[in-house]
Every structure is written in structure tokens, then in C-alpha cells.
Amino acid sequence: MLLADRVALITGGAGLNGLGFATARALASQGARVVIVDLESARPAEAAAQLGRGHLGLTANVTVKSDADAAVAHTVEQFGRLDILVNNAGITQPRKTVEITEGDYDAVLDVSLRGTLLFSQAAIPVMQRQRGGSIVCISSVSAQRGGGILGGPHYSAAKAGVLGLARAMARELGPDGIRVNAITPGLISTDINKDKLSAERKAEIAETIPLARLGVPADVAGAILFLASDLSGYCTGITLDVNGGMLIH
Ligand code: NAD
């Protein structure tokens, strides 16, 4: 078991077809006790129950500081520690630059970027007391290639912000034994893109990918498991591409 006695919190983890829930399953299968955090409408307690006994589902909006603080406090109260934080919650919107309203900007930036900051701020003091931890931040290939698949420029900007934040936190927190890494998924079939890309468009995109297929949530979950576990003990500040080779250059 790679994660025996470890406690992991995953934001945006309740969507049963999403990266977060696939990650919850992967970490639980390696012995971690998992806390799934999500909006009430996503039913995090029900998702956590699907992992089996000994896991927890909590309602929180990642854009609200008191929610982040309460979720981490509840985790520590229940399990006594927090070893792994996966900043996964995110939303996207297809928009052209001039169409982005201030409300769109706030919505997209707040979930990915503010949410990553707030949950990291809540988790870091706990990890510092434990003298170690692993934070995994979910960015996107959109940050690297400037969108072009689904999300608008504000989504690319939010995810590029996540990369900068993850690297800066890695630099700052290394001396405390806290590793911070980012994952840049390519196009992964989940609810975020289900009704937004036609089958033809997906087939066109698959033709441009060296591995000749779209990703599945388990592809990303495996990479997150690596970064969460001691297998990646000397990796911090890295950006791990999980995109089928979409960005070889
Ligand atoms: P998803 O829609 O299944 O998962 C996103 C989850 O975030 C949902 O469970 C949702 O309820 C939750 N969420 C949204 N707003 C929230 C908030 N304010 N507070 C708490 N939870 C909130 O989509 P997914 O594809 O699994 O996305 C997971 C992450 O991966 C996102 O950050 C997304 O941007 C990123 N990503 C996805 C892809 C892809 O192709 N699917 C590619 C690159 C990056």
C-alpha cells in the first residue's frame, strides 16, 4: 500500500465521472482515508460512501475561505492529520476574449485559482506541524497551449495562474518537507466537456494526439497517485503532462 495511514482531501471530488472521484478511488485503493469536498449539489457524502467505509464527504465551496478552513478543520478532527491535498475543483466556459464578462472572469478564476490558494492556505499549517505533505494542483494543457479545445482565455489564464502558484508554493514550502506539484491534463472525457464537444470534434482531436485517444479519468488519477505518494519524494515544483503526447515539442 503506497498510502497506508495517509489522509487525503480532494476538492471537486464528488462527480462520479470526474478526475476527482477517480483520484479518490485510486488513493483509497492504496490505503488512504479520503475526504471528498464538493458543492452540496454534487452530493459529496454520497460519493464518499461509494468508496467504502472510513472515508468522508464534506460540503464546501472552494471560493469561500471559511468553507476551506472548516473542511480542513473537520478533516483533522475526524482523522487527526492531513497528508495530501488535491486542488482539483474547476469550471470552464467556452468564450472568445471580448465575450468574457466580469462575472465569467470571477467565476472561472475564483474556482481554479482562489480555490487552490484558499485550500492550500488551510492545509499548509497542518502539514507544517506534521513536517511534511503533498499538494497536487490540477492545471490544464490549456495553460500551456493557450486553450484551443474548450475553455476560453480566462480558463487558460486561471490554469496558468495555478502553475505559477504551485511552483511558488513549492519553493517556499520545500524546507518544511511539503511538496507541491502540478498536473496538466489534456482532453479527458468527463462531465466538464460531455455535452460541449461533438463526437466528430473529439475524433478530430484524437487524430492529433500521438496516443490516438482522449484521456480517461484513471489516466490522471494514476499521475496524482504518483505525486501524492513517496514514489515522487524528490519531485517538487514539477508540471506533469498527462495528455497522450498532445504537447510534444
Ligand atoms: P468535473 O466537472 O467532473 O469536476 C469538477 C468538480 O468541481 C465537480 O465535482 C464540481 O461540482 C466541482 N466544483 C465546481 N465548482 C466548485 C466550487 N466552487 N467548490 C467546490 N467544488 C466545485 O470535471 P473534471 O474534468 O473532472 O475536472 C476536474 C479538474 O480537471 C478541473 O480543475 C478541470 O479544470 C481540470 N481539467 C479537466 C480536463 C478535462 O479534459 N476533463 C482537462 C484539463 C484540466
Side-chain angles (χ1 to χ4, degrees), residues 17-19 186-194 202 213-219:
N17 303 317
L19 308 186
L187 181 54
I188 316 294
S189 296
T190 69
D191 290 347
I192 213 170
N193 48 43
K194 195 168 84 184
K202 284 183 182 170
R213 65 170 175 87
L214 269 50
V216 295
D219 292 323

Side-chain angles (χ1 to χ4, degrees), residues 11-22 36-43 58-64 67 87-92 107 110-112 115-116 119 137-142 149-150 155 159 162 183-193 196-197 215 217 220 242:
T11 69
L16 300 183
N17 303 317
L19 308 186
F21 188 70
I36 289 181
V37 167
D38 212 312
L39 297 171
E40 190 173 4
S41 55
R43 302 174 183 229
L58 296 176
T59 295
N61 182 335
V62 296
T63 71
V64 177
D67 280 15
N87 286 308
N88 168 73
I91 59 170
T92 191
D110 274 1
V111 179
S112 275
T116 296
F119 264 85
C137 301
I138 306 305
S139 174
S140 169
V141 72
S142 289
I149 297 175
L150 178 63
Y155 179 73
K159 292 303 194 182
V162 168
I183 293 194
T184 41
L187 181 54
I188 316 294
S189 296
T190 69
D191 290 347
I192 213 170
N193 48 43
K196 295 184 179 139
L197 288 173
V220 181
V242 183

